[in-house]
Structure formats: structure tokens, C-alpha cells
Amino acid sequence: MYVKALDLACGAFLLTGVLVLWRRDLSAIVWLFGLQGVALGAIIVIRGLHEGTLELLALGVGVGLLRALVLPFLMRRALAAGEERLETRPLVGVGTSLLVAAVLTMLAYAVSQPLVRLSPTPATQAVPIALTVLLVGFFVLVTRRRALSQVVGFLLMDNAITAAAFLTTSGVPLVVELGVSLDVLLAVLVLKVLTTRMRAAFGGTDLDELRELHD
């Protein structure tokens, strides 16, 4: 049951990350990020149940609430304050992005095999999934032009790093995880304020248009 539950949670974690590349509707992208937060919390809770560790269970619930509820709520508030609803001009199209995701998945599995062979447990065998989401998040950060899309790319990378920490070890200390989570929350709050002010001053958050305005 532990292996099946972990595989299911990791599969949902990967699927939501890849689907971010498929959707251009910003509200759907935020919704997918929230679902990935649920999957990340489930990964930690499953490990906590398997190891019988109350600290991991508490961390899983806390991380899940932050990534699945609090951060998506803040991003929806930022989205509701503006008129932009679509990622209209990504640098790479949807079809090409999905092909790139496939290449990144194979690269992640190839790069992480030495680490998996060191300790071939069910948890470490899922490390390539975390690395894939990390690369996908970086790809989103580089290729999307809306500020909110880039925020999601940054948060996908943070989710992937957190997942890798809990898959390779028993996780990080509670104080460290709380500190990182508060830093991420602060970063999203700052980005929300910045995007609101950018929209009020320039009428949008498309980075190409803002660069042309600067020129």
C-alpha cells in the first residue's frame, strides 16, 4: 500500500507540473499549481505514515495547506485584480513545450540514476519525478511572458526541491521547512504587490511589452 500510494502521489505531482505547459488560461494554471500542492503534501504525509513520524505528518499537512490553499488564493487575488486571463505569447508553443517536457523527463531520469542506485528504495526511485518538475518549472520561468506564469514557474521549482528533500531523506527539520515556507509566502506577497503596481502603471504585465516601453 505504501508503494502504491507513493507512486500515485508522485504521478499526480508530475502530471500537474506537465499540464502547466499545456494550459494558457492563467486561472487553470493556478488551479493546477494548487493540485500539485495537494500531491506534495500527500507525498510527505505518506512518508510520515510509513515511518510513523508525527513531525512528518505535521509538515505534510502544513506544506499542503500552504501550497494548495494559501499561495493559490494569493495568486487568484492577483489575477482577479487585472484583466489578463491568458498567456497569449509564450516564447515556445504548447506542442513544442510538451515535446520539451518529454526530453526533460528523459534527461532527469538519466541524470538521477546514479543517486537512485545508491539507495534503491521506493522513495528514491521517485527522485527523477522531482527533478523533472524542477526542470519543467525552470522552463516555464524562462519561456512564459506573463508575470503570474513566471511566479508559477518559480513555485514549481520550489515544490520540486521540497519533494526531492523528502524523497531522498526523511525531510528537513521543522524549523528549516517553516522558514523556507515563510520565505516563499513572502516572495509571493511581494510579487503580488509588484504585479498590481505594474498593471496600474503600465496597463499589463506582459514582459515583452514592458521591455518595449522601456526602450
Side-chain angles (χ1 to χ4, degrees):
M1 286 296 296
Y2 163 67
V3 176
K4 291 181 179 179
L6 186 63
D7 288 345
L8 181 61
C10 289
F13 185 77
L14 175 62
L15 180 62
T16 49
V18 173
L19 287 179
V20 169
L21 295 174
W22 176 56
R23 298 307 301 266
R24 291 191 177 184
D25 185 352
L26 294 179
S27 62
I29 290 174
V30 173
W31 184 74
L32 287 169
F33 171 76
L35 288 181
Q36 187 178 77
V38 174
L40 177 60
I43 290 172
I44 303 172
V45 168
I46 290 167
R47 290 222 63 188
L49 290 173
H50 178 68
E51 298 180 11
T53 306
L54 183 60
E55 182 178 343
L56 279 179
L57 292 174
L59 275 174
V61 173
V63 169
L65 290 175
L66 176 65
R67 309 298 172 91
L69 295 178
V70 179
L71 296 182
F73 172 75
L74 293 174
M75 288 189 285
R76 289 190 190 97
R77 288 283 301 273
L79 185 61
E83 298 179 357
E84 299 96 342
R85 297 290 177 178
L86 296 175
E87 178 67 49
T88 54
R89 294 188 299 175
L91 293 181
V92 181
V94 174
T96 305
S97 296
L98 293 177
L99 289 176
V100 171
V103 174
L104 293 177
T105 301
M106 292 186 289
L107 177 63
Y109 271 85
V111 170
S112 58
Q113 284 310 301
L115 178 61
V116 173
R117 283 196 293 268
L118 289 175
S119 179
T121 64
T124 56
Q125 288 176 355
V127 169
I129 291 177
L131 182 56
T132 300
V133 174
L134 177 66
L135 296 175
V136 168
F138 183 74
F139 183 72
V140 171
L141 186 63
V142 170
T143 59
R144 297 301 174 97
R145 310 316 302 155
R146 295 291 184 189
L148 185 62
S149 296
Q150 295 193 343
V151 170
V152 172
F154 166 75
L155 293 175
L156 288 179
M157 295 174 65
D158 182 69
N159 281 352
I161 293 171
T162 303
F166 284 97
L167 289 171
T168 53
T169 65
S170 293
V172 295
L174 178 60
V175 175
V176 176
E177 179 59 33
L178 289 177
V180 172
S181 298
L182 289 176
D183 286 342
V184 172
L185 179 60
L186 178 61
V188 173
L189 287 172
V190 171
L191 289 169
K192 178 181 181 298
V193 173
L194 287 176
T195 53
T196 301
R197 297 193 65 177
M198 287 166 58
R199 191 178 292 112
F202 306 111
T205 59
D206 188 290
L207 300 184
D208 290 332
E209 293 178 357
L210 294 176
R211 189 174 294 110
E212 291 175 2
L213 183 61
H214 171 75
D215 296 338

